[in-house]
């Protein structure tokens, strides 16, 4: 039942609500000045630099919005919905309140390409990469690097970011003692 509900919520978030984040990002990209992204040739060094900016952008954006969603009022009204999954499955990455999904999740993913004005092919690659990596982070499988986000669903006060940059910088990486207990649970599922 939870999985079926998650599929329905995820599909509505993707098909109906994601436009509230993607259209403003597209407008930001279009109005950024200079020549259009389609007019510039695809350049691997340039796109790799853009990709690095995208990684930092999503880590900062997601950390800030996700940490804010753990404030008591926002947690109760918005983010608690996502935390219904105590042991996340891949579908849980799109199982979120539409506000959280648009602002925190999609907003952070599309902001990087909008700011860098990367080539549309590189933006498409980035979007596919972001969706795949967030699915893997919610998969529950250690082989796919799910330990960090699984630990967040178990210990709500740690591991807010999608990468390690912000959690390390702001001291919210899960302490080793708690990590060891969580790792035993993940090993049992794997």
């Amino acid at each position: 039942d939870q999985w079926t509900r998650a599929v329905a919520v995820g599909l509505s978030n993707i098909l109906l609500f994601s436009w509230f984040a993607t259209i403003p990002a597209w407008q930001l990209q279009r109005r950024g000045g200079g020549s259009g992204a389609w007019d510039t040739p695809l350049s691997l060094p340039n796109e790799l630099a853009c990709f690095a900016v995208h990684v930092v952008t999503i880590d900062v954006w997601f950390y800030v919005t996700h940490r804010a969603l753990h404030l008591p009022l926002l947690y109760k009204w918005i983010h608690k919905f996502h935390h219904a999954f105590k042991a996340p499955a891949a579908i849980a990455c799109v199982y979120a309140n539409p506000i959280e999904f648009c602002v925190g999740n999609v907003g952070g993913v599309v902001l990087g390409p909008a700011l860098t004005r990367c080539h549309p092919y590189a933006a498409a690659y980035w979007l596919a990469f972001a969706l795949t990596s967030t699915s893997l982070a919610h998969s529950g499988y250690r082989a796919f690097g799910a330990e960090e986000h699984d630990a967040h669903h178990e210990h709500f006060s740690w591991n807010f970011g999608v990468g390690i940059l912000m959690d390390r910088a702001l001291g919210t990486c899960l302490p080793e003692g708690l990590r060891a207990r969580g790792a035993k649970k993940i090993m049992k599922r794997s």
Side-chain angles (χ1 to χ4, degrees):
D1 182 49
Q2 187 181 34
W3 192 87
T4 304
R5 198 170 50 249
V7 170
V9 168
L11 283 172
S12 70
N13 276 338
I14 291 168
L15 298 174
L16 301 174
F17 297 111
S18 63
W19 301 105
F20 291 102
T22 55
I23 290 174
W26 175 62
Q27 291 299 316
L28 175 66
Q29 190 272 341
R30 274 191 47 206
R31 294 196 168 105
S35 63
W38 284 108
D39 298 335
T40 56
L42 190 59
S43 159
L44 186 59
N46 183 57
E47 301 312 328
L48 288 174
C50 289
F51 192 87
V53 171
H54 302 167
V55 169
V56 172
T57 300
I58 187 62
D59 197 35
V60 171
W61 182 271
F62 186 80
Y63 182 93
V64 170
T65 59
H66 189 199
R67 184 96 187 248
L69 287 171
H70 277 264
L71 295 172
L73 188 60
L74 293 176
Y75 183 83
K76 179 182 178 182
W77 290 103
I78 297 174
H79 193 52
K80 186 177 182 179
F81 186 77
H82 176 73
H83 275 277
F85 281 87
K86 300 299 180 221
I91 191 64
C93 75
V94 290
Y95 185 74
N97 176 294
I99 295 168
E100 174 182 357
F101 183 74
C102 290
V103 175
N105 300 1
V106 178
V109 171
V110 297
L111 184 59
L115 293 175
T116 61
R117 302 191 77 230
C118 65
H119 194 279
Y121 290 151
Y125 176 80
W126 166 251
L127 296 175
F129 176 84
L131 184 57
T132 301
S133 46
T134 193
S135 296
L136 294 176
H138 284 84
S139 72
Y141 290 103
R142 185 178 207 175
F144 296 132
E147 302 98 328
E148 301 302 323
H149 200 70
D150 263 18
H152 172 73
H153 277 258
E154 187 176 349
H155 308 283
F156 291 5
S157 301
W158 308 98
N159 296 358
F160 295 102
V162 294
I164 57 170
L165 177 74
M166 293 298 289
D167 279 313
R168 283 206 179 143
L170 297 173
T172 53
C173 285
L174 183 69
E176 273 311 308
L178 291 175
R179 182 181 307 276
R181 287 194 312 221
K184 288 178 185 174
K185 288 182 181 182
I186 291 172
M187 290 301 286
K188 287 179 184 175
R189 283 192 285 163
S190 296

